[in-house]
Amino acid sequence: MKLLNGHVALLATSTKESKSPSGLYLASVDTNQFRTGIIKYVGKPEYNPYKHLDVPSYVNVGDKVLFNSHYFHEVVIDGVTYYIGKESQLLAILD
């Protein structure tokens, strides 16, 4: 996969339980928009035309991050679901 400048692709690692502890099945509406994920691909640095330089990437492949799923596009490629979006929309790098 080749990403555009300043974009990242990640795999979500947090999942929503579809069954309650008492055995009731829960609705499939996702109310939690914050998820964690692992960076799988990083695009080239984004170019800043005002400073005439490339903005360095703050994430690397393999980093665990916190992101808002509403700002990322969910894409399925070869049966694997990726979230693709701008690096600037990531909320935090987790240890």
Side-chain angles (χ1 to χ4, degrees), residues 15-29:
T15 57
K16 188 171 186 277
E17 291 293 326
S18 60
K19 197 175 188 182
S20 71
S22 62
L24 297 173
Y25 287 96
L26 302 172
S28 62
V29 176

Side-chain angles (χ1 to χ4, degrees), residues 25-89:
Y25 287 96
L26 302 172
S28 62
V29 176
D30 189 7
T31 57
N32 186 5
Q33 59 193 6
F34 298 104
R35 296 183 182 220
T36 58
I38 304 293
I39 299 291
K40 291 297 179 185
Y41 300 96
V42 178
K44 291 182 179 179
E46 192 168 22
Y47 181 73
N48 184 333
Y50 301 107
K51 294 185 178 181
H52 303 291
L53 54 87
D54 290 335
V55 178
S57 179
Y58 291 103
V59 295
N60 297 311
V61 174
D63 285 349
K64 186 174 182 181
V65 295
L66 178 68
F67 69 103
N68 184 330
S69 61
H70 290 285
Y71 294 112
F72 282 74
H73 299 282
E74 187 175 315
V75 179
V76 178
I77 300 173
D78 295 330
V80 179
T81 303
Y82 295 97
Y83 287 88
I84 298 177
K86 301 278 287 177
E87 180 182 354
S88 60
Q89 294 296 329

